[in-house]
Amino acid sequence: MLQRWMLALFSYPGFVAVLLGMIVVLLGLYVWSATEVRRSRDRRMHAIRDTLYISTTLLGQLTAKEHRNVALTEHEHLELLSAMLSCRAAVHLSPQLQDQIRSCIIDVDPARLALMHRALERESAALSDELNRYAHPDHWGRAIWNVIRPAAEPTAAAAVLYLIADFVFRQQGLLYPFWHSWFNALPWIRFVSLIITVFYGYLLWSSPRQGSSGTVTKALVTLIAMCSLLHLIGLAAAPYALGLQLILFISGFSLTGTPSRSDRPYVGHTDSDKELNRSTEAHQDENLDMDLNLYKPRTSGAISEK
């Protein structure tokens, strides 16, 4: 049936010219996409360099304070506040770390500074690794990926045009409105499901590969795109495929939401900082117990034992 449909399309006058025009448009989209991908990568590299340059001052002051383990002087306190205020312009620091910096600006507490120091070290190391990956020559796999990735836009556009043409001309979906019967609604449901698949497939294809951020989001996007495999069963599987896609889409709002502030003792507190927080609290408790024992009055029983 697809072969007859293609032969019918080629029989129309001017179809070859339209096909050549579409190829030219798709090639233009690829060139534009490749240019935008390169510009976006260059802008990100400049932003990462600026972020590292701004945050290095704060990281150095926190490291020096940790090694000295003494109280800050007034001049050092002002320099630390100035460095933290400068980090608010570092665009590639995570929102959690920015929240930690704001909290430390309001209240310069040693425990908060220790947590912020560890978070800043982790993010600075991750940004430095990403910068080094772009600075060094691409290996074989990444070089191929840099060529294939800009093809996401023209491929998605071609897929949408093919689905529309297939739905209108081959399946003749417009001749049978979906409200007449359930059988007439099935091609419409499959068409909507496949359009959703193309959209999420484009998001998965065009997203950067580097970094582990957004793992849950990428997993949801992959599952939504893979739901279209149910269409291989037949037209009757279209409602199940669309239903699964909608369920995954709705569940994404709860799975990718930010944690509540009640789950974080400090703003931006992470699971890896729990051990440091517990050790700090235990140390404070030990100091408190020592103070209480120091000033604890002696009882008569204790005197008689002596």
Side-chain angles (χ1 to χ4, degrees), residues 11 14 62 79 93 95 117 132 139 161 208 224:
S11 64
L62 292 174
E79 287 184 347
L93 294 181
H117 186 198
N132 290 330
H139 59 75
L161 291 176
I224 291 175

Side-chain angles (χ1 to χ4, degrees), residues 125-144:
L127 291 175
S128 298
D129 292 340
E130 183 176 353
L131 190 62
N132 290 330
R133 285 196 299 267
Y134 280 108
H136 291 84
D138 294 333
H139 59 75
W140 178 250
R142 189 172 297 130
I144 296 177

Side-chain angles (χ1 to χ4, degrees), residues 57-121:
T57 303
L58 177 60
L59 187 59
Q61 292 181 2
L62 292 174
T63 304
K65 178 186 177 302
E66 184 178 348
H67 288 300
R68 287 171 53 193
N69 198 18
V70 294
L72 294 174
T73 62
E74 184 178 357
H75 179 68
E76 291 174 342
H77 181 74
L78 292 176
E79 287 184 347
L80 183 62
L81 286 178
S82 177
M84 288 191 292
L85 289 172
S86 299
C87 282
R88 298 176 64 179
V91 295
H92 278 289
L93 294 181
S94 65
Q96 292 79 13
L97 182 55
Q98 291 284 4
D99 289 341
Q100 284 183 288
I101 293 174
R102 294 189 191 98
S103 298
C104 291
I105 292 173
I106 298 173
D107 181 17
V108 185
D109 181 71
R112 293 175 185 265
L113 289 176
L115 293 174
M116 183 183 68
H117 186 198
R118 294 189 62 183
L120 185 60
E121 281 184 337

Side-chain angles (χ1 to χ4, degrees), residues 134-173:
Y134 280 108
H136 291 84
D138 294 333
H139 59 75
W140 178 250
R142 189 172 297 130
I144 296 177
W145 173 251
N146 290 335
V147 175
I148 296 176
R149 183 185 169 193
E153 282 83 359
T155 302
V160 170
L161 291 176
Y162 171 77
L163 290 176
I164 293 175
D166 178 74
F167 181 72
V168 173
F169 294 106
R170 188 165 71 91
Q171 300 181 14
Q172 297 181 350

Side-chain angles (χ1 to χ4, degrees), residues 167-178 180 184 188:
F167 181 72
V168 173
F169 294 106
R170 188 165 71 91
Q171 300 181 14
Q172 297 181 350
L174 297 179
L175 298 180
Y176 305 100
F178 62 89
H180 282 184
N184 292 338
W188 287 83

